[in-house]
């Protein structure tokens, strides 16, 4: 079970264990981690699951998809490390992943 | 009994039977047909859905003017169907009734991946927040000038003077449509949606086609113009320049279909949220007081208005395979209707769902914008439009008094109003 750490905008960290195969968004929502709204339920259609991937993990996490790239225009304060967390599938490779959350999703 | 008396008696029974549809609790459960447009016009649909949620949340109507269909009435079931596009397809119809094949115009809301994805991707930059931030000042200026022109202390129709006008101006901006011709947009939208497939049969398919041909010609000209200019962030320019959609004009029905989607998608929905908010607040004076005392509630209230109104009552899917869903056997090819208006009243998910509350917790938790890959693309424009409107209303008026019964639209799809008589009271 990969471990993921979500760091809220105010610095509060939440560490969760989740089965591989789900998305980073699902890991947050199913563990009641605040700060991810996921209005569309993970379909890459709302951009309310925005996270910043910790630099050290950028290579492992992989590239943004085309739809995700376009949908990121709907998020605020987008940086080079920005991803839509519903589009990152958790694998054992990503065990230990750390992501930061933006101040708000709207 | 004399013959005359017998006839009279028969008349009374007939009237009673003819009126029975107003009370769904008096009808056999299996006969319930919640897609009849008249239910929504007469505002009796809510009880139909209350009964279905309680007694038969995944309900099969075997016979209706639209053919057989399933009704999904609970919040979580709607989310499940809307999220499962592999089984519940949007192709080719997204309302309960099928459009006849000869008038079929493809549009991305009624497509599955991959066509859906590339076309949505081409159009959506027009309504991305960065783009909207640039439009905010313009939209506010227009809201102010519409509100400043309104008569105070005299009755007028809010739908015409505010809801339609404001929405039309917003759409004209998103298309960069010639401002002086902007009234063509709601006209085309009305004709496009007034079809027998949503129970609104005031226009025949033939008439509809003629008017929409004019729409196509008009936009065809804009298209050529935009294609020869540098890319901008209006819908037409974006589609004309995107590598995936740049040849769309070669398939006029597809071009038309997507135009209709972008016009209709933003038109009735935003218009009726604007009217709906006025009605909801007038029925709940204590909510209006709460809002006046704390204008920071506006964004939250906007979500609550959109939940409460549910401008689109349903979306329909077509099952691509046999599937067991909540104990029912849905068959390949069946129509599956997700009743958003019912999901938004589901007490299991939304506390005191029948109440309109400007300070509702989790007000964003509603299904008015749908779910999954087709989730509304324009929700942020709509929310911005409503937010600005209510901010400016609070700056100007003490109260908006509704002085007559609102007239509702005859449709099982668009939930809204044709007339809303109001009197404004100055601050
Ligand atoms: C309060 C206002 C609005 C409401 C309630 C609303 C509602 C909806 C709903 C229910 C859907 C289908 C979701 C699904 O199938 O899961 C949808 C899709 C869509 N809406 Fe909206 N809408 C609104 C405003 C707008 C505006 C202002 C625009 C643009 C100008 C717009 C453009 C679209 C488009 C293009 C789609 C198709 C998305 C897709 O298929 O991927 N909508 N809307
Ligand atoms: S949950 Fe909607 S884009 Fe990720």
């Amino acid at each position: 079970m990969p471990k993921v750490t979500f760091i809220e905008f105010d610095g509060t960290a939440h560490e969760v264990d989740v089965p591989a195969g789900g998305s980073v968004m699902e890991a947050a929502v199913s563990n009641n981690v605040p700060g991810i709204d996921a209005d569309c339920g993970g379909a890459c259609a709302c951009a309310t699951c925005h996270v910043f991937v910790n630099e050290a993990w950028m290579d492992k996490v992989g590239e943004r998809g085309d739809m995700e790239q376009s949908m990121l225009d709907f998020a605020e304060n987008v940086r080079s490390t920005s991803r839509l967390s519903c589009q990152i599938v958790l694998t054992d490779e990503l065990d230990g992943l750390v992501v930061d959350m933006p101040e708000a999703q709207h | 009994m004399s013959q005359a008396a017998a006839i009279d008696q028969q008349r009374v029974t007939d009237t009673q039977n003819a009126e029975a549809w107003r009370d769904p609790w008096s009808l056999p459960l299996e006969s319930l047909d919640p897609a009849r447009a008249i239910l929504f016009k007469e505002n009796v649909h809510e009880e139909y859905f209350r009964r279905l949620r309680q007694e038969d949340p995944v309900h099969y109507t075997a016979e209706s003017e639209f053919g057989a269909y399933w009704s999904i009435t609970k919040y979580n079931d709607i989310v499940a169907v809307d999220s499962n596009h592999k089984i519940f397809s949007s192709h080719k119809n997204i309302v309960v009734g099928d459009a006849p094949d000869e008038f079929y115009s493809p549009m991305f809301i009624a497509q599955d991946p991959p066509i859906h994805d590339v076309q949505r991707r081409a159009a959506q930059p027009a309504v991305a927040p960065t783009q909207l931030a640039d439009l905010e000042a313009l939209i506010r200026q227009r809201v102010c000038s519409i509100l400043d022109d309104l008569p105070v202390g005299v009755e007028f129709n809010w739908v015409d003077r505010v809801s339609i006008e404001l929405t039309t101006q917003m759409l004209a901006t998103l298309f960069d449509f010639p401002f002086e011709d902007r009234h063509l947009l709601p006209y085309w939208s009305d004709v496009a949606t007034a079809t027998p497939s949503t129970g609104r049969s005031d226009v025949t398919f033939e008439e509809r086609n003629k008017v929409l041909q004019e729409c196509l010609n008009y936009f065809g000209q804009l298209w050529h113009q935009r294609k020869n200019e540098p890319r901008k962030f209006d819908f037409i320019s974006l589609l004309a320049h995107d590598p995936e959609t740049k040849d769309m004009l070669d398939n006029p029905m597809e071009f038309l279909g997507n135009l209709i989607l972008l016009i209709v998608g933003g038109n009735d929905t935003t218009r009726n949220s604007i009217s709906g908010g006025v009605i909801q607040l007038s029925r709940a004076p204590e909510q209006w007081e709460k809002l006046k005392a704390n204008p920071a509630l506006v964004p939250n209230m906007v979500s609550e208005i959109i939940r409460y109104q549910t401008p689109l009552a349903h979306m329909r899917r077509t099952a691509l395979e046999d599937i067991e869903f909540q104990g029912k056997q849905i068959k390949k090819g069946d129509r599956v209707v997700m009743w958003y208006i019912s999901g938004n009243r589901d007490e299991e998910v939304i506390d005191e769902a029948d109440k309109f509350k400007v300070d509702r917790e989790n007000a964003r938790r509603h299904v008015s914008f749908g779910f999954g890959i087709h989730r509304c693309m324009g929700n942020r424009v709509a929310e911005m439009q409503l937010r600005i409107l209510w901010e400016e209303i609070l700056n100007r008026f003490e109260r908006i008094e509704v002085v007559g019964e609102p007239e509702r639209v005859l449709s099982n799809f668009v939930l809204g109003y044709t007339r809303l008589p109001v009197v404004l009271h100055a601050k």
Side-chain angles (χ1 to χ4, degrees):
Chain A
M1 295 245 281
K3 226 185 248 325
V4 187
T5 305
F6 294 90
I7 303 176
E8 282 187 66
F9 191 71
D10 69 4
T12 315
H14 303 261
E15 197 184 271
V16 300
D17 285 311
V18 278
S23 70
V24 171
M25 178 280 283
E26 285 162 352
V29 171
S30 60
N31 288 285
N32 294 317
V33 176
I36 302 272
D37 293 348
D39 286 347
C40 75
C44 203
C46 72
T48 65
C49 62
H50 179 201
V51 296
F52 306 111
V53 174
N54 184 286
E55 295 281 358
W57 290 90
M58 283 302 285
D59 285 345
K60 281 202 175 135
V61 161
E63 303 276 308
R64 299 169 182 167
D66 287 346
M67 194 62 172
E68 182 184 357
Q69 181 66 46
S70 162
M71 214 52 227
L72 269 169
D73 287 345
F74 285 67
E76 273 166 42
N77 303 318
V78 174
R79 306 179 201 150
S80 59
T81 56
S82 288
R83 291 293 306 266
L84 294 178
S85 58
C86 68
Q87 301 303 303
I88 306 176
V89 178
L90 283 166
T91 55
D92 290 323
E93 270 243 285
L94 292 180
D95 183 23
L97 176 68
V98 180
V99 299
D100 289 289
M101 288 192 279
E103 188 169 8
Q105 296 287 356
H106 293 281
Chain B
M1 216 190 299
S2 74
Q3 205 183 349
I7 290 173
D8 273 354
Q9 183 56 44
Q10 189 57 45
R11 277 207 189 108
V12 171
T13 326
D14 281 353
T15 321
Q16 277 165 354
N17 290 343
E19 292 290 302
W21 58 272
R22 287 183 178 275
D23 176 16
W25 301 91
S26 72
L27 302 169
L29 183 62
E30 62 283 3
S31 78
L32 292 190
D33 173 13
R36 293 176 63 196
I38 189 74
L39 305 182
F40 299 88
K41 179 164 172 66
E42 295 294 316
N43 204 13
V44 297
H45 59 280
E46 301 242 344
E47 284 304 311
Y48 275 75
F49 292 119
R50 194 187 311 282
R51 180 158 185 215
L52 290 177
R53 283 195 306 274
Q54 277 176 24
E55 298 181 7
D56 194 22
V58 177
H59 173 76
Y60 190 64
T61 303
E63 274 175 46
S64 86
E65 65 196 283
F66 311 108
Y69 66 95
W70 292 94
S71 287
I72 312 293
T73 62
K74 302 273 297 177
Y75 190 104
N76 289 322
D77 291 346
I78 291 169
V79 168
V81 170
D82 222 348
S83 302
N84 190 352
H85 61 266
K86 294 211 170 80
I87 291 192
F88 298 108
S89 163
S90 293
H91 187 72
K92 328 152 87 162
N93 287 291
I94 46 119
V95 293
V96 55
D98 301 346
D101 274 345
E102 61 271 38
F103 298 108
Y104 172 60
S105 30
M107 52 179 86
F108 68 83
I109 197 171
Q111 298 279 9
D112 296 327
I115 297 176
H116 161 267
D117 299 6
V118 293
Q119 294 184 354
R120 173 171 168 142
R121 200 158 71 218
Q124 74 184 10
V127 285
T130 34
Q131 185 55 24
L132 298 185
D134 291 346
L135 295 180
E136 174 151 357
L138 179 64
I139 290 187
R140 188 176 299 275
Q141 185 197 327
R142 289 180 176 165
V143 166
C144 291
S145 83
I146 289 174
L147 293 180
D148 289 338
D149 275 351
L150 296 174
V152 172
V154 185
E155 178 179 327
F156 67 91
N157 182 3
W158 181 269
V159 174
D160 286 340
R161 300 239 3 212
V162 184
S163 311
I164 294 182
E165 189 52 38
L166 202 52
T167 307
T168 304
Q169 294 192 8
M170 174 193 85
L171 280 179
T173 312
L174 296 178
F175 281 99
D176 194 9
F177 194 83
F179 200 66
E180 60 290 357
D181 285 345
R182 67 185 182 279
H183 299 292
L184 288 169
L185 294 168
Y187 172 61
W188 290 331
S189 173
D190 285 346
V191 172
T193 51
T195 70
S197 47
T198 57
R200 244 180 105 177
S201 43
D202 35 351
V203 181
T204 62
F205 273 109
E206 289 72 18
E207 283 166 12
R208 178 171 179 265
N209 229 30
K210 180 171 155 287
V211 173
L212 293 180
Q213 186 62 45
E214 290 161 21
C215 166
L216 183 60
N217 295 343
Y218 196 113
F219 274 106
Q221 283 178 2
L222 287 184
W223 176 280
H224 287 301
Q225 197 185 348
R226 303 277 151 89
K227 207 174 184 69
N228 295 321
E229 293 164 1
R231 178 174 180 266
K232 301 189 285 125
F233 280 83
D234 64 80
F235 284 136
I236 304 300
S237 183
L238 287 168
L239 290 173
H241 286 271
D242 190 287
E244 298 284 352
T245 50
K246 65 180 177 24
D247 300 322
M248 199 180 261
L249 200 56
D250 299 344
N251 182 351
M253 288 314 267
E254 185 170 49
F255 181 50
L256 180 64
N258 284 301
L259 289 172
I260 296 173
L261 166 60
L262 295 169
I263 301 173
V264 174
N267 185 51
D268 286 306
T269 50
T270 311
R271 173 197 300 186
N272 291 315
S273 309
I274 293 174
S275 306
V278 171
I279 296 172
Q280 290 145 24
L281 282 165
S282 83
R283 289 193 183 140
E286 78 292 349
Q287 299 296 320
W288 174 238
E289 292 306 324
K290 218 180 247 181
L291 180 69
K292 277 199 301 184
N294 184 7
L297 287 172
V298 166
N300 199 70
M301 174 184 75
V302 164
S303 293
E304 176 70 347
I305 289 176
I306 294 170
R307 173 189 78 91
Y308 206 85
Q309 180 62 33
T310 315
L312 297 181
H314 79 267
M315 285 279 161
R316 168 259 175 108
R317 300 292 183 256
T318 306
L320 294 182
E321 315 172 0
D322 292 357
I323 179 174
E324 184 178 322
F325 189 79
Q326 300 295 14
K328 304 273 177 135
Q329 280 302 327
I330 296 179
K331 291 257 174 296
K332 180 176 176 179
D334 283 358
R335 299 183 182 84
V336 179
V337 177
M338 303 173 284
W339 290 107
Y340 296 138
I341 181 65
S342 178
N344 279 338
R345 296 289 186 276
D346 185 349
E347 292 278 352
E348 261 172 45
V349 175
I350 298 165
D351 202 36
E352 295 193 283
D354 286 336
K355 284 220 176 96
F356 172 75
K357 298 196 229 180
V358 295
D359 56 352
R360 175 177 291 284
E361 263 180 54
N362 290 325
R364 300 191 62 85
R365 190 157 189 219
H366 62 67
V367 278
S368 294
F369 292 127
F371 227 77
I373 61 168
H374 292 280
R375 184 187 156 83
C376 182
M377 189 182 97
N379 68 312
R380 291 166 195 249
V381 203
E383 288 166 339
M384 177 173 91
Q385 177 68 81
L386 285 160
R387 172 174 56 77
I388 296 174
L389 173 69
W390 284 99
E391 285 167 359
E392 296 302 333
I393 287 176
L394 283 171
N395 281 338
R396 284 173 178 70
F397 306 117
E398 177 57 30
R399 192 157 72 94
I400 306 175
E401 184 187 359
V402 175
V403 293
E405 249 329 278
E407 272 166 34
R408 302 172 64 97
V409 174
L410 176 68
S411 168
N412 60 30
F413 181 59
V414 171
L415 295 191
Y417 310 91
T418 47
R419 205 175 88 90
L420 174 57
V422 300
V423 172
L424 294 176
H425 299 271
K427 240 184 154 165

